[in-house]
Amino acid sequence: MSSSFHQKSLDLLSEQFGSKGIHIDSLLSKIAAFQIAVPSWALGAGGTRFGRFSIGGEPRNLEEKLEDIGLLAKLTKRTDAVSLHIPWDIPQDVQAIKQKATSLGIGFDAMNSNTFQDYGQRHSYKMGSLSNANATIRKQAIEHNLQVIEIGKSLGSKGLTVWLADGSNFPGQAHFRKALQGTTESLQEIYAGMPADWKLLLEYKPYEPNFYHTVIPDWGTSALLCRQLGDRAKVLVDLGHHLPNTNIEQIVATLMHQNMLAGFHFNDSKYGDDDLSTGSIKPYQLFLIFCELIGGAEEKAQAWESISWMIDASHNTKDPLEDLIQALEAISQAYAKAVLVDREKLTQCQNEGDVVGAQEVLQEAFLTDVRALVREARIQSGGEADPLAYYRSEKIREKLITKRGKNAQASGL
Amino acid sequence: MSSSFHQKSLDLLSEQFGSKGIHIDSLLSKIAAFQIAVPSWALGAGGTRFGRFSIGGEPRNLEEKLEDIGLLAKLTKRTDAVSLHIPWDIPQDVQAIKQKATSLGIGFDAMNSNTFQDYGQRHSYKMGSLSNANATIRKQAIEHNLQVIEIGKSLGSKGLTVWLADGSNFPGQAHFRKALQGTTESLQEIYAGMPADWKLLLEYKPYEPNFYHTVIPDWGTSALLCRQLGDRAKVLVDLGHHLPNTNIEQIVATLMHQNMLAGFHFNDSKYGDDDLSTGSIKPYQLFLIFCELIGGAEEKAQAWESISWMIDASHNTKDPLEDLIQALEAISQAYAKAVLVDREKLTQCQNEGDVVGAQEVLQEAFLTDVRALVREARIQSGGEADPLAYYRSEKIREKLITKRGKNAQASGL
Amino acid sequence: MSSSFHQKSLDLLSEQFGSKGIHIDSLLSKIAAFQIAVPSWALGAGGTRFGRFSIGGEPRNLEEKLEDIGLLAKLTKRTDAVSLHIPWDIPQDVQAIKQKATSLGIGFDAMNSNTFQDYGQRHSYKMGSLSNANATIRKQAIEHNLQVIEIGKSLGSKGLTVWLADGSNFPGQAHFRKALQGTTESLQEIYAGMPADWKLLLEYKPYEPNFYHTVIPDWGTSALLCRQLGDRAKVLVDLGHHLPNTNIEQIVATLMHQNMLAGFHFNDSKYGDDDLSTGSIKPYQLFLIFCELIGGAEEKAQAWESISWMIDASHNTKDPLEDLIQALEAISQAYAKAVLVDREKLTQCQNEGDVVGAQEVLQEAFLTDVRALVREARIQSGGEADPLAYYRSEKIREKLITKRGKNAQASGL
Amino acid sequence: MSSSFHQKSLDLLSEQFGSKGIHIDSLLSKIAAFQIAVPSWALGAGGTRFGRFSIGGEPRNLEEKLEDIGLLAKLTKRTDAVSLHIPWDIPQDVQAIKQKATSLGIGFDAMNSNTFQDYGQRHSYKMGSLSNANATIRKQAIEHNLQVIEIGKSLGSKGLTVWLADGSNFPGQAHFRKALQGTTESLQEIYAGMPADWKLLLEYKPYEPNFYHTVIPDWGTSALLCRQLGDRAKVLVDLGHHLPNTNIEQIVATLMHQNMLAGFHFNDSKYGDDDLSTGSIKPYQLFLIFCELIGGAEEKAQAWESISWMIDASHNTKDPLEDLIQALEAISQAYAKAVLVDREKLTQCQNEGDVVGAQEVLQEAFLTDVRALVREARIQSGGEADPLAYYRSEKIREKLITKRGKNAQASGL
C-alpha cells in the first residue's frame, strides 16, 4: 500500500461523502475515538476439548499480558483497556500493576469472575455455582464475585461481567425455576456489593459447557434477572452466544429500546460459540449490528457512552496478537461503514415501504471501501499505517518467543 | 385390542402405581378432566406455498366446523371448545351458533384475529399491521382486533389470541425499535378494549412469513410487551415457533416462574413451523414440557386453571379429523406420563446432584405404557375405546364427502 | 453518481490492480461475459402459505414474461436467457415464442418440470411423483418430464432441471430405500429420453414442502443418483436448500472436484428456503462461493462453461424487476471480487500455514469497492449506468400496470 | 421392581405379541444377541474446553479399563468388546492384555487412531494430518495409522476407525479440493496396509474442533472417499455429528441402500456433538434409526452382521459406568421396540398412502413398555436384573476410588 494510493483513496472518499455533507474530519475523529477492550485471556492460544496447539512466546504473567495489550494499543490505536479475569489474573502488587498499565496507556475494563471451573476452591462447581441447589456453594460463588469486585476496585475498574455457565446436561438434573430463583438471589447479593458507580454486565448463552439447559440461555432471561437487580445491571451480548439463525441485530435494538444493553463481546462464528476472529465469517451482520448501535444512540434510545466494547475470541490456529489486530480492524471498518449510512434516506424508505430503496441505502455504505478512512484515523492517532505488516516485519512474535520461551503458556482456557 | 387385554393392562398399572401410593382413580379423573381446544381452521386440509391437496368433505361453514368438533368431542372426550378465527368464522346468526355449540357440548375458547393477510380490508398489511409505520394502517388493525373482541363477547369467549406476523424480509426495511414501539401502543389500545374477565394471549415466532425479522420473535419480546399491557396479557407458546435446538420446556418454566404463561398451541416439528401432528416427531420433548407444567402448577408458580390449551396443526397429507384424534391421544399420554413422575424422588436427586437418578425418575414415567389409562379415562367419560378405529369403521370421512362434496373447502390457509 | 466520480473510481481501481499486473480491460470483459438466466416464475409476486400481496402489472402470459426479461437484459446486460416452467409456461405457438425471444436477445435455459402440485393431471402427487409407491403415478410423472423435454427441444433449450419435492411428513409414511430406488429408476427413464446434447440438473433440498423426510435431501443423495444416470446428470445447488450453518462453498468445491456441479439457483436466506434477493443477507458467503467456482475452473477441476447460472428468488415484498436488478448486481459484484483474489499469494499462505495471511488475501478482494467496475462493464455493453434509477425514473412499473392491469397475476406460486 | 411384577409384565407382553404370532423367546434371544462395544476412553470423566470435573476411581491403565468393561459385561450382558485408541492405549504386553481380555469375556473391536492432537510426535497436526498441505506431515499421519493397524492385528481387532478432525477455522486457510485429494491419497495408503479381513470405518462430522470447514463434513463426502478406497471402506455414523435438524434415520437407510454403513457411535445430543447418554434426549429418533437398521437388514439391503456398534459419549457430570449402563439399556430398548414393529402392516399402509395408519404402526411399537423384555433377556444371559441398582448397592464406585485413588485419571480427553 503506497502512501500516494492511500491519499488518493482518501481524497475520493472525501469527495464522495463531502458531496453528501459529511466532513471527512468528523468521520476520522469518530473512528479514532472508538476504543475496544481486550481480555487478558485472549493473548495466549485457545483450544478445544480435543486439544490445544502452542503458539510460543505467550505472556507468562499479568505484566506481560499488559505489555502485549500495550503493543496492540501502540500499533492500532484502537484499544486502551484490558479486561481481567479472576483467578487467572490476580495481581500480586496492585500499585505496580496500575503503574505499568498507566505507563502503557491501558485502563481496566470490566472484571470477569469464574465460577465455571474448579481451581482449588473448597466446593466444586460441577453442579453449578450461583444457581446451585446447595446454599453453601451458592454462598462460595457469591463471595468469589465479591472478591473480584474488591480487586477491580483497587485497580480502578468500573464493572463486573458475569458469565454464568450453570446449567444441566440431562433432563431432570436441574430444577429450572429453583435454579433461576437461586441465581436471582445470588446476583442480588453481588449487585448489592458493587460500588454505586459500577455496572453489572450479565451474559447469556444457550449451551456449552452444559448441553441440555443453561440457566441464562437467552437475552430474555438475562433481562429478566437484570430488572430484578437494578438500573446498573444490563445485558451483555456475545456474538457467538445464540442459537442458529438468530437475528442478533434485532436483539441489540430491543435491548437499547429498554436501555438495557451492557455491551459486547466481539467474535464471529459459523456453528456455535466458535470464537473466531470478528468479521471473518459474517461481516455484513457485524455492519448491521453497528447500524443498530449508532441508530439507537443517535435516537436517544440508549447513550453510546453507556455501552462497553470488548473482544472475546479464541485463537486456536492464529497468532493471538495478529488475530487481535485483524479483529480491531474489522470492528473499526464495520463501525465506519455504519456511520456512513444515510439515515435520513433510510427513514424515508422505511416510511414509504420502499424495501428496495432501504436495501440500497445500507449497501451503499457497506460496499464502500473504508480502509483508507480507518488507516488515516490510525495514522493521525500515531499508530501504524499497516499494523499487521509492521508486526511481521519487526518479527515481534519471534522476539516474544526469544524472551518468554517456546512453551510459555498464558493462563486461561 | 380386546377388552380383557385392556383390563389386564389396567390392573398391572394399578398394581404398579398403587404400590407407590398413587390411586388409579385419581389418575383417571385427572386425565379425564384435561381438555384441549380445537381451532376452527384445523378441520380442513392445510397446504404449503407450493400447493394444497384436497381432503374432501371439509366443513363449508361455521356450523359444519362445530359439527366436526362435536364429533371429536363425542369420540375422544378430550376437547370441549373451539377457537374461532376472524374473518374466516364470522357468525351470521350468533344465537343459532351458540345454540348449536351448546347442543354439541362445545364452548368458545380464545378468539383469533388476522392482520397478516389481505382479505378485502381497506389498507394492505403488506408492510405490517400493528407495527406499520403508517398510523392509519395501525388504526385499522387495532379496530379489527376490537371487532374480534366484540364477536367473541357475543359468543361467550374469554380471550383474544394475537399472532402478529409483522416483520421484514430485508435489512433496512423496518425500523426495529419503532416497530416494537408501535406494536406496544397498538396492543395497549386493544388491551384497553378487552372486558375485565378476558385475557390476551400473545404469540411469538422467529420467522415466517417474514424471513429477516419478525417484530415478536421470541418469548422475551412477547413478555416485554405483556408487561407493558397488564396482568391479563400473557405469553402463548406454539411448539413450532422456535429456532433450531431451543429448550422449550425451559421457556415454559421461565414463563410460569413469572406467572406469564398464557397457554399452548400444540403441534410438532422437525425443521421450523412444520405444524405436524403433536407427538409425531419429539414425544419425549412433549413429556418434558408437561413435567414443567405440572411441576409449576403443583409448586404454585402459576395456577393450572390459568393456562389455555389448543391444538394448532396443518394437515397437509392426513385426514384432519384423524390427525386431531392422534394429537389428542398424544397430548393425553404425555400428560398422563408427567403426572406419574415421582416428584419427591426427583427433588431428592436434584438436591443430591444425582444426575443419573434424576434421569431414571423421568424415564420411569416416560417408558410406562399409559395407553390403557388414557383409554379407560375415555371409556368412563362415555367416549370410544378406540376413536380412530371407530372413525374408520363408521366410514365417517366417506359420509362427510357424500354430504358436503368432494371439493368442499374449509376457510383457512 | 456523477460520471466524473465513476471515472475517478475506475482509475483508482485501474491503478490498484494494474500495479499487480491485472489489466482492467480483462476484468471488464470477464464481468461483461458473465450472464445469469432468469426463471419465468420470478416475474410475479411470490407468497407464503399465509398469503400473497399483489404487485400489479405482472406478465399475463409467456410473451409478457419474455418482455420483462428482455427489459432486464437491456438495462443490466447481465441476463440473456429465460428458464421456463411447465405447465406454467406451455407455449401455444412455439415459432412465435422463439421469434419473440430472439428479437429480445433471450435464449432458453434449462426447462423446469413440476410434479409437486396437482394442476389437473389424472393422478394426484399428494403421495409423491417419481418416488411414488404406485407405479402408475411414477409413470405419469416420468411422462410429464419427457413432455417437458419435448417442449424444450422445440425451443432450443439444452437442459432439464428436476426439483423433486417428494418426501413424507411423518415417520413411517414413506419407505426411504424404496422411494430412493423408485426415484433412481424414474430418473433413468427420463435421462434416457434426453437428447445427447442435453444435461439433467438435479436439485436437492432438506425440507419443505415435506417436513419429515425429502427423497433428495442433500448433495450426497443427488450425486448418488446422478452417478447412476450418466455423465450428463449433475447436481444443482440452490443456495437456500441447506440445513442451518451448512458450508455451501465447500459443497461447491466437492462437486467440482467430481466434475458434478450442474449449476446454481441464486438467492439468499437467513432461516430456510427464504428465497430472498441474492446478496441481501450473506454477501461474504456469496463471494466465497465464487472464489471456489473460479478456483475450480482455473485449476481444471470442472470447466466454467459446463456450469449453469440462474436466479431463483421469491419477491414477496419487492417489485420483482427491481429485485432482479439488485440480484444481478450482487452476483456481478461477488464474481468481480472473486476474480480479484490474488490466488498465487493465497496458495502460498495455504502452503505455509499462514492462516492470518490467507484471510487477508480474501478480504483484500472482498473489501474492494468494485461497483465502478461492474458499472463500467455494463456501460460498455450498452446497458444503463444505474439500471434501478433508470427503472424508477422511467416509471416502468407504473407503465406495466397501465398496460397489464393492477390485478394481473403471473402464473407460478 | 418385584420379581412377581416383572413376571406379570412379561406375561402380558407375551400375550400381546403372541396373539400377533411373535414368540417371546425369539424376541428374548434377539435382544440377548445384540452386543455393543465400549470405547476405552469412555471410562473416565469427559470434559469441555472450559474444564473437567473429576469422578474418582478412574482406570489408570489399559488393564483397569478392561476390568471396567468386564464389569459392565458381567452386569448388563450387553457388551463384549472394547474399542482401543492409540496412543492412549498402547499395550505394553500384548499377550497379557489378550489373556486379561479373554478372561473377562472381552474382545477387541475397531481400533481408533489419533491425528487430531499433538502428543509428542515429530510434526504438529495443527494444520491437519491426512489432508495436510505438507507431504511429510501426511506421511507421518499415514504411518501412525499403519502402526495402529499393527497393534490391532496383534490383539485380534478387525477394523480401523478413522475420525479425521482436519479442517480449517477461517475462509482461505485451506484449499478444499486439495485437502480432499490429499485425504483420498492418504487413506488409500492406509487402506492398502489393512489386512484383507479388516474394514475401514470412516467418520464424518460437520464441525469441531474446526469451526469453518471440516474435510469430511457429511456422509456424502465420507461415502465419496470410501468408494475410492474399496468395498471394505464404509461410513461410520456418530449420532452427534450432524447439522441441526438432520434426518439421521434417512442417512442410515441411504447408506444401507448402498451397502456402505460401517456402523455406529451411539450417543445423544441437543445442540451439536454434545456426547450425552444415548437415549437421554431423543429416544424416538433412536427408535426410528433402529427401524431402518432392522428393515434394511431384513430386506437384504445390507447384512446385519456387517455393521459395528459402539457407544461414544462423554461423561461430564455422570459416573461413566452408570452412564454406560443407562446407554446400554436405552439402546437395547430401542432395538427391542424396533423388532416389535409390524412391518407387514407398515408396508401395507405405505402402499396405500395411509399416513395415519403408518404412524400408528410405529407408535404401537414405540409406546410398548419393553423393559420387562430387556430385563428378562439380561437375566437369562446371567446378568443382573437391575444393573444400576446393583452397582449402587455394591458401592462399586466407592470401591474403585479406594483401589485406584480419588484423583486417578483415565487417558483420553
Side-chain angles (χ1 to χ4, degrees), chain D residues 5-45:
Chain D
F5 183 79
H6 168 65
Q7 193 56 50
K8 282 184 211 165
S9 302
L10 201 60
D11 291 346
L12 200 63
L13 287 166
S14 191
E15 177 183 335
Q16 182 180 356
F17 291 101
S19 73
K20 296 176 183 172
I22 304 176
H23 289 286
I24 200 117
D25 287 348
S26 113
L27 287 174
L28 291 174
S29 58
K30 280 187 181 176
I31 297 169
F34 186 44
Q35 300 287 320
I36 302 110
V38 171
S40 67
W41 62 86
L43 303 162

Side-chain angles (χ1 to χ4, degrees), chain D residues 308-344:
Chain D
S308 300
W309 316 100
M310 195 180 97
I311 289 173
D312 184 10
S314 181
H315 320 288
N316 300 338
T317 45
K318 285 179 175 175
D319 177 323
L321 291 172
E322 294 194 352
D323 195 341
L324 289 164
I325 290 170
Q326 287 187 312
L328 290 167
E329 174 72 17
I331 295 168
S332 294
Q333 287 175 19
Y335 171 74
K337 289 179 178 188
V339 169
L340 293 179
V341 169
D342 187 337
R343 303 191 68 82
E344 199 174 328

Side-chain angles (χ1 to χ4, degrees), chain D residues 185-356:
Chain D
E185 294 167 13
S186 296
L187 286 171
Q188 284 169 333
E189 290 197 43
I190 294 166
Y191 188 84
M194 274 199 331
D197 60 348
W198 274 48
K199 74 171 171 182
L200 191 149
L201 305 91
L202 190 58
E203 291 199 59
Y204 59 90
K205 182 174 180 177
Y207 64 95
E208 198 212 22
N210 282 293
F211 296 109
Y212 169 62
H213 133 266
T214 299
V215 175
I216 313 180
D218 51 23
W219 76 263
T221 308
S222 182
L224 171 64
L225 287 162
C226 287
R227 265 189 301 272
Q228 294 173 280
L229 298 179
D231 285 349
R232 290 174 295 116
K234 294 185 191 298
V235 180
L236 181 68
V237 176
D238 181 301
L239 295 182
H241 292 192
H242 300 88
L243 290 173
N245 305 339
T246 301
N247 186 326
I248 303 176
E249 52 269 32
Q250 184 180 2
I251 292 176
V252 170
T254 301
L255 288 172
M256 291 185 83
H257 187 60
Q258 304 171 76
N259 193 15
M260 286 192 83
L261 177 64
F264 272 84
H265 277 187
F266 289 112
N267 50 54
D268 212 334
S269 69
K270 188 165 178 66
Y271 304 99
D273 190 26
D274 307 337
D275 279 334
L276 302 180
S277 322
T278 315
S280 64
I281 302 292
K282 298 174 187 159
Y284 194 50
Q285 176 185 271
L286 186 64
F287 162 76
L288 293 172
I289 288 169
F290 271 105
C291 290
E292 292 309 315
L293 288 165
I294 290 171
E298 284 188 3
E299 293 165 21
K300 314 281 184 199
Q302 179 170 350
W304 183 264
E305 297 69 31
S306 69
I307 305 171
S308 300
W309 316 100
M310 195 180 97
I311 289 173
D312 184 10
S314 181
H315 320 288
N316 300 338
T317 45
K318 285 179 175 175
D319 177 323
L321 291 172
E322 294 194 352
D323 195 341
L324 289 164
I325 290 170
Q326 287 187 312
L328 290 167
E329 174 72 17
I331 295 168
S332 294
Q333 287 175 19
Y335 171 74
K337 289 179 178 188
V339 169
L340 293 179
V341 169
D342 187 337
R343 303 191 68 82
E344 199 174 328
K345 202 164 163 187
L346 182 63
T347 301
Q348 192 185 337
C349 291
Q350 289 169 346
N351 287 340
E352 293 173 357
D354 182 1
V355 184
V356 166

Side-chain angles (χ1 to χ4, degrees), chain A residues 236-250:
Chain A
L236 180 69
V237 177
D238 180 300
L239 296 182
H241 292 191
H242 300 88
L243 289 173
N245 305 339
T246 300
N247 186 324
I248 302 176
E249 52 270 33
Q250 183 180 3

Side-chain angles (χ1 to χ4, degrees), chain A residues 212 214 218 227 249-250, chain B residues 212 214 218-219 227 249-250:
Chain A
Y212 168 61
T214 299
D218 51 23
R227 263 191 301 273
E249 52 270 33
Q250 183 180 3
Chain B
Y212 169 62
T214 298
D218 51 22
W219 76 263
R227 263 190 301 272
E249 52 269 32
Q250 183 181 2

